[in-house]
Amino acid sequence: FVTFLTGLAMFGAIFFVPLLFQGVLGASATASGSFLTPMMLGIVFGAAISGQVLSRTGGHYRIQGILGLSIMVIGTFMLSLVSGDTTNGYALASVVIMGFGLGTSFPLYTIAVQNGVPQRYLGIATSSTQFFRSVGGSIGLAVFGSYMVRQFKGGMQENLPDEAFEVVPPQLLEQITSNPNSLLSPEGTDSLQSAFAASGESGAALGEQVFGAIRESLAGAIGDVFLIAFIFVLIGVIATAFIREVP
């Protein structure tokens, strides 16, 4: 159950962290993908340190699991607070903390599962942890993706200036409020800017307001996604407290 929840949060982060850097913070597609590297390094160091502590302190994986996932909870909560004014430094610190906390869970719950089954089931149990982590990731992406689109659309209805509803053609307005693609691709940005620039100087100014609304709405939607992830990981911390420690 806990590996299912951590997998749900992990794959959600892998998908939405680059979206945050590209759509909200203005990084290129290549650069936004590279911002996953600090999180992955956090996972590696977290797993290495956690494994060493586990082997040197007598294998108290329940206590370690609570501490490790609590670190992940902090990182996930920090990501839930992102906005259009979020800095690269804050976002990077958040993903590193989240990655480190996630990394600590990898050896812990594998050992917990292996200790909880007879020797003849060791292979099945070990592979099952990865299976449930993958299933959590698949379900998480589906749930988070649909939730983000809904939150983004609601945010656009609130953040768009009233003038946009009067000036922008309904078809273009529907496209803007349903999809943040104008922030993610140069073609989408150029097309939207051209549509507003055709209306003159006031249209260009309105276009800047619309871009600001898109960025703020996308940041709010991503923050809401990480808030849901935060709740799931918090449930994982509580569930860890009930894991039976087997020497």
Side-chain angles (χ1 to χ4, degrees), residues 10 14 35-46 95-96 99 102:
M10 179 182 74
I14 290 173
F35 282 120
L36 281 175
T37 303
M39 188 182 84
M40 295 305 174
L41 290 175
I43 291 175
V44 170
F45 282 108
V95 298
V96 169
L102 175 62

Side-chain angles (χ1 to χ4, degrees), residues 63-173:
I63 297 173
Q64 260 187 256
I66 292 173
L67 293 175
L69 284 192
S70 295
I71 295 173
M72 186 178 177
V73 163
I74 293 171
T76 310
F77 181 71
M78 289 174 66
L79 285 169
S80 73
L81 300 178
V82 296
S83 68
D85 299 322
T86 297
T87 63
N88 282 4
Y90 178 88
L92 280 173
S94 302
V95 298
V96 169
I97 293 171
M98 180 182 177
F100 184 85
L102 175 62
T104 62
S105 72
F106 283 11
L108 295 179
Y109 297 108
T110 300
I111 294 296
V113 168
Q114 289 175 339
N115 280 12
V117 298
Q119 178 74 22
R120 64 182 181 275
Y121 296 132
L122 203 60
I124 297 172
T126 304
S127 61
S128 294
T129 60
Q130 181 59 40
F131 170 75
F132 280 104
R133 186 175 289 119
S134 299
V135 170
S138 300
I139 294 176
L141 278 180
V143 172
F144 290 159
S146 60
Y147 184 69
M148 193 212 76
V149 170
R150 193 184 77 172
Q151 293 300 101
F152 174 76
K153 191 166 185 176
M156 285 297 293
Q157 295 293 337
E158 294 179 6
N159 295 325
L160 269 180
D162 294 335
E163 296 86 350
F165 293 96
E166 301 170 3
V167 176
V168 181
Q171 185 177 0
L172 179 58
L173 191 63

Side-chain angles (χ1 to χ4, degrees), residues 167-216:
V167 176
V168 181
Q171 185 177 0
L172 179 58
L173 191 63
E174 175 63 24
Q175 181 181 347
I176 294 172
T177 55
S178 301
N179 191 347
N181 190 57
S182 55
L183 290 178
L184 304 180
S185 70
E187 295 81 6
T189 301
D190 293 341
S191 174
L192 191 56
Q193 285 177 335
S194 299
F196 282 107
S199 302
E201 188 174 336
S202 60
L206 178 60
E208 289 298 322
Q209 292 180 315
V210 169
F211 272 104
I214 296 173
R215 187 170 290 106
E216 193 63 43

